[in-house]
Amino acid sequence: MSIDSSTDSNSLAARSCDTLIRNVSVIDGSGSPAYVADVALADGRILCIDATPGALAGWQATHVVDGSGKVLSPGFIDVHTHDDTNVIRTPSMMPKLSQGVTTVIVGNCGISAAPVTLKAEPPDPMNLLGEASAFSYPTFASYVEAIKQAQPAINVAALIGHTALRSNQMDRLDRAASDTEIAAMCEQLREALAHGALGLSTGLAYGNAINAPTAEVLALAEPLAQAGAIYATHLRSEFADILEAMDEAFRIGKHARVPVVISHLKCAGVENWGRSSEVLEALEQAQRYQPVGCDCYPYTASSSTLDLKQVTDTIDIMVTWSEPEPAMGGKLLAEIAAEWQVDLMEAARRLQPAGAVYHCMQDDDVNRILSHPASVVGSDGLPNDPLPHPRLWGAFPRVLGYYSREQKLFPLTVAIRKMTGLSAERFGLAERGLVREGYWADLVLFDAETVRDAATFADPMQPAEGLEAVWVNGALSYLGGVLKAPTELRVGRFLARQAGPKTAVAN
Ligand code: ZN
Ligand code: CU
């Protein structure tokens, strides 16, 4: 907070702004306590914040908003998304905007829309980003240009997927890349970094990347260090071998001298339940020597393509889509198997390609990881799934409503920090993630007593409740309340990597 001394009663009349939000409880994203202030926005940025009651009362404003009883926080930053093609194909971005998300980071889990030149159908799990026709960005520069043309309602920053690079350069993905292929992948990565990509992501658990040895990723991590970029990874295993997989990620980060982000950190699988303390201890251990953090979504179920390696009768697996058997969407794999009188594995095989929700986590583990100081929130929502995991529409309000207000897992100031300030710091997004004078005016106005996720597994495409308004780059872009609608102002920007992340060590 800063008190602008020039706003005494004599100079007030002369000042003007585009939007004045009055008498609002500011939670600024730094973790500091809430305070009541007037906030003035102009030219896309936060012009003035004044906590003196009535200090900005004399200001001329095109729009005046009464914020009494409401919270104003930085717009939420969804650090883990698969919105790569959706920011262009569905630029209103309702699933995210309606949650208060003002920035998405695309290109996670080793899959990105750019730079990509497909030879055939998109390899698994790149098919989560859309059909072959959705991939038309052979260079990262062409992708950035397409975002600018599409003018999405929210800001976009991007990682480059390792599996995407492999698919560009290799004839088959069930082997290690050769030196020549690695050199070609590095070249594409350099082009992307030069045009503002944040870093590299891997999805080493997936069939199309699992045969990439550590050395292949290490070679790709070298251009990252030169650019001050980051390494985000969907670990090689989230099951029994999770500690070994974390160790691999830390070795890559340490060797290449780049910050590591472990994507959607979890203890998956019944045999793995209860191991979160051990896992977080390993993370803390690594933090002593190198910048390490993680993201996490606030649910005990995961979702991706239907993976034969994850087929088990110990948890519920819901099929969300199936190309050959579309009518099976919404049914449990066990129900389908019973109906067809085959075992689970055979049913899963017949459904391919398909998508699924796996109820594979335990409450205690999710609570421990979500509340750990190293974790920030990312939805991992799958926008092209006809029956998407509810995290697509509900992740951020769920942290505020269910986890902070109801379960009291952490105070609201901490919840907000995990969705804004810490996220911006971790991913190097300059002048975002805090309510600060001079920062970009990405802001959310919400009612802390009523904000909640409305999306459920049975009915997942429901906008959240309690969100009043969302500003992106100073423009009122979404109205909640009874309207629950975008304002048609779409002023999101492509956010190029600016500063390298200061540190990813917990704070
Ligand atoms: Zn993933
Ligand atoms: Cu993901």
Side-chain angles (χ1 to χ4, degrees), residues 434-497:
L434 294 176
V435 183
R436 280 282 152 82
E437 286 178 359
Y439 271 51
W440 288 98
D442 292 342
L443 297 164
V444 193
L445 185 72
F446 65 92
D447 184 333
E449 300 306 316
T450 62
V451 66
R452 67 172 204 102
D453 57 306
T456 62
F457 287 96
D459 191 8
M461 306 218 244
Q462 291 302 319
E465 289 164 15
L467 274 300
E468 304 280 331
V470 182
W471 289 267
V472 179
N473 297 313
L476 179 64
S477 302
Y478 176 78
L479 278 169
V482 282
L483 270 179
K484 287 206 181 88
T487 61
E488 307 301 331
L489 280 179
R490 301 203 318 251
V491 299
R493 298 176 173 216
F494 170 73
L495 306 185
R497 189 190 69 260

Side-chain angles (χ1 to χ4, degrees), residues 28-30 44-46 74-77 102-103 154-157 417 419-426 428-436 438-443 471-474 491-496 498 502:
D28 71 2
S30 70
R45 293 184 184 256
I46 299 168
F76 307 139
I77 299 172
T102 54
T103 297
I154 57 182
N155 305 310
V156 185
R417 169 139 176 82
M419 311 194 322
T420 60
L422 186 56
S423 324
E425 219 171 86
R426 182 77 49 78
L429 304 176
E431 301 178 316
R432 310 262 173 193
L434 294 176
V435 183
R436 280 282 152 82
Y439 271 51
W440 288 98
D442 292 342
L443 297 164
W471 289 267
V472 179
N473 297 313
V491 299
R493 298 176 173 216
F494 170 73
L495 306 185
Q498 298 197 348
K502 266 183 267 167

Side-chain angles (χ1 to χ4, degrees), residues 52-72:
T52 317
L56 306 190
W59 280 46
Q60 301 287 319
T62 315
H63 308 282
V64 179
V65 178
D66 177 16
S68 312
K70 305 280 160 45
V71 170
L72 186 72

Side-chain angles (χ1 to χ4, degrees), residues 289-359:
Y289 307 102
Q290 61 189 119
V292 169
C294 64
D295 61 65
C296 173
Y297 47 80
Y299 295 87
T300 53
S302 68
S303 183
S304 189
T305 44
L306 177 58
D307 175 8
L308 297 180
K309 290 198 313 270
Q310 292 190 50
V311 170
T312 168
D313 59 5
T314 57
I315 56 159
D316 279 346
I317 299 173
M318 184 180 73
V319 173
T320 59
W321 59 272
S322 160
E323 228 166 80
E325 301 282 351
M328 296 299 131
K331 290 190 186 182
L332 292 178
L333 182 61
E335 289 170 356
I336 300 168
E339 201 177 306
W340 291 348
Q341 299 188 318
V342 296
D343 64 16
L344 293 178
M345 193 56 90
E346 178 56 24
R349 256 189 223 110
R350 287 191 200 173
L351 290 160
Q352 297 289 330
V357 163
Y358 309 84
H359 291 269

Side-chain angles (χ1 to χ4, degrees), residues 76-83 93 95-97 99 101 103-106 108-109 154 263-266 294-304 361 370 376-383 388-399 418-419 423 427:
F76 307 139
I77 299 172
D78 191 348
V79 303
H80 190 113
T81 84
H82 296 291
D83 293 327
M93 290 303 290
K96 297 298 165 71
L97 192 58
Q99 294 183 56
V101 169
T103 297
V104 290
I105 297 177
V106 303
N108 278 282
C109 297
I154 57 182
S263 297
H264 43 59
L265 183 60
K266 65 171 82 73
C294 64
D295 61 65
C296 173
Y297 47 80
Y299 295 87
T300 53
S302 68
S303 183
S304 189
M361 288 167 257
L370 192 59
V376 298
V377 178
S379 72
D380 203 7
L382 300 175
H389 185 304
R391 65 196 185 188
L392 177 67
W393 288 80
F396 290 81
R398 184 171 169 81
V399 172
K418 284 178 172 293
M419 311 194 322
S423 324
F427 286 83

